[in-house]
Amino acid sequence: MGPLQTSLQVLIVEDNPSDVMLIEMAMQAGGFEFETQVAVDGDAAIDHLQGNAGGAGHPSPPDLIILDLNLPKRHGTEVLRVIRETEWGQRTPVVVLSSSPGDVIEELVHAAHLEADCYLTKPLHLDEFVALGVVIRECYESRTGRRVH
Amino acid sequence: MAVIRAYLGPYLGETLPVVFFIVPVILAAWYGGLRVGLFATAASLLVGWLLFVDPRFAIVKGDLNVLLRFTLFAAFGAGISMMGSRARRSKREARRSETRFRSTFENAAVGMALVGLDGRWLHVNERLCAILGYSAGELRQLKVGELAHPEDRASALQWSRALLAGETGGYSVEQQYRRKEGPWVWANLTVSLQRDDHGKPEYFIAVVENITVRKEAEEALRVNLKQLQATFEGMVEPAMLLDKDANVIAVNSAYLHLFDFVTPPKAWNEMIADVEFSNADGSPIAPDESPFSHAVRGEVVRSLEVKGRNRKTGKAFHILSGSAPVRDAEGNIAAVILTSHDILERMRTEQALQRSNLVLRQFAYAAAHDLQEPLRNVAISCELLARRYAGQLDGQADRLLDTSIEGARRMHRMVNDLLDYTKIIDPSVSAPPLVDAAASLAQAIRNLEQSIQHTEATVTHDALPALPVHSTHLVQLFQNLISNSLKYRRPEEPPRVHITATRDGGDWLFAVNDNGIGFDPLHAERIFGLFKRLHTRGEYPGTGIGLAICTRIVEHYGGRIWADAVPGRGATFFFALPAGEGR
């Protein structure tokens, strides 16, 4: 998180490539300048995070994490637990984005005694999906107090 | 006297007076007793002394020999008088004793008889005659054996022989005797043997007590018990009757089977020696909390859930145990009835059903969630495709893409609705309190506020009751039905919806009436099916879940829902819900 860094480091934990593409579209529409890392399952996400947590030889930890819950190998809540157990992970905004209705997502996360910063349901309409970029930006800004370029 | 002296004197000499007087003295002593005997002796001595001993009429006489004789006579007279007195006394006593015996014999409250060694009635009292219905004369013509019940004769004979042989001093048996008329009489017979001074048997003494009433009561009791046992045996439910000391009076085979007993236990102690009882949560039952203890205290237990197993055979049971006291005519607790309703199978079925329901819910939930993602992918991918290649495809391809998108979205909605449908009833939620239907209706109207404003609808209602339904369910019912009315309105006039409730037996009957397009009554049942619709999606949107959810809610409470309509003249939806204790 150097001060000279211009673009936001975003980790997208998502097994569905078309959803990764849609998330990137949405974030562009939301006015983000960002670089993405993609983890396609729970294990990959945890490996990635623990590698980052070690620090050496890796780029800085992500500035924002977009997390799906229904992941292969490890459930999204387990990934969230690993994130929240790290020192930086407690400050990093995590947006949970899943197919289930919003209240169901929140219930799942709370049932695991965890807390995300934002709970969003993947919409059925393309326009609505793209509009999520703004919601994610607002979430990020309110959480970190920083403004997105 | 002079004549006697003159004739007999020469033969008897000085002995004459003694011999002459001895006979009257003996007679007097024998029949008159001590005093008369002594008087006769004294009189004889005086008369003999004065008249027969010379010199006559002289008090003092010189003959020593004569004096000695008179002395002997006096001694003899006194002796014979004393003997006579004693004999009379013993005779009197014997007579008195006999009178006493006769009086006892005749007036005894029990039948008594002297029976000859040959078995003949020698002497019978009135009571015995009354018991047997024969006169004394008739009885004396009969032998005892002729009146005894054929079944009892052999044993009676054996007892008599034992008595005669001196093997026993007496015996007592309960036997039946044939009366002259009428039914057999039950008697308690006590017999002893009278022997003479030499030990030779003389006759039997029989005491006969009429015990017919007791025997009949015993028999009635036995019949009652048999009937009770038969009733018990005929019962499907396991049952046991215990006296207040916990001895088993009756038990049916259903009870034995339930607790895996082959032979009926004699007492409750035998039961608990082999069977382990515990409360539903597995904790032991406190001694004063057992169904038996409750009943013995006069309390009725209706259904106490009890679990346990037979320690010997290992057979497990799960029962609803009931018990009640059985009181006698005075109201005292005489017995306790225990019943057991086997719920092992029911509990297993319930558990299986619960597991099955859980699995089904999980399945529905998982299916709904997991189906949504690919559907969303299809919808959005098609949309992306259509947008990216807009204008590059021909009109037919555009239409196909639109259909795909719409199809995926519709299926997504249906999956969502299906999820709602499965979630609407949560079997884990307990019985609801009374809820005010008017308040639920108000909530439903608030939820539909936008549609109501948009369609300029009016929703009115009569007085509505309170009833035991979860308010969310009642709100959902009203909301879905009113929403239907708004959706299927006639274009030319704003919708009017009116809700009423009337009491119909144990139910509250609700009616939601509208002025909409109605429907053909032919379809009145079809519309309540899941995803069933009467119109094309073009005409009226929706998946067809609303009425299916209403049906599910109403049926959850054991109610009914149906509809009546005339095409173009509005529709009325009815639903009946149990009123419970509410009014």
Side-chain angles (χ1 to χ4, degrees), chain B residues 408-465:
Chain B
R409 282 178 187 164
R410 193 157 53 82
M411 191 161 167
H412 189 270
R413 274 197 303 276
M414 288 168 83
V415 168
N416 258 338
D417 288 346
L418 206 55
L419 199 58
D420 288 342
Y421 181 79
T422 55
K423 278 196 300 192
I424 191 84
I425 302 296
D426 185 350
S428 64
V429 174
S430 57
L434 290 182
V435 63
D436 180 12
S440 299
L441 177 60
Q443 181 60 48
I445 291 172
R446 273 197 296 280
N447 294 350
L448 292 169
E449 202 175 356
Q450 277 194 329
S451 311
I452 291 173
Q453 278 179 357
H454 174 71
T455 58
E456 299 174 345
T458 34
V459 182
T460 53
H461 66 90
D462 291 350
L464 297 178

Side-chain angles (χ1 to χ4, degrees), chain A residues 29-95:
Chain A
F32 281 97
E33 237 177 82
F34 62 96
E35 285 173 23
T36 49
Q37 300 276 341
V38 178
V40 295
D41 61 48
D43 277 349
I46 289 169
D47 284 348
H48 184 89
L49 291 165
Q50 285 174 341
N52 274 342
H58 284 280
S60 330
D63 301 310
L64 173 65
I65 298 168
I66 312 285
L67 178 65
D68 190 10
L69 289 182
N70 231 346
L71 292 167
K73 295 183 185 172
R74 302 282 276 273
H75 195 258
T77 49
E78 292 180 64
V79 179
L80 182 57
R81 187 182 308 284
V82 173
I83 294 168
R84 292 307 193 207
E85 277 167 3
T86 63
E87 187 262 329
W88 55 265
Q90 289 167 23
R91 287 178 275 111
T92 308
V94 177
V95 174

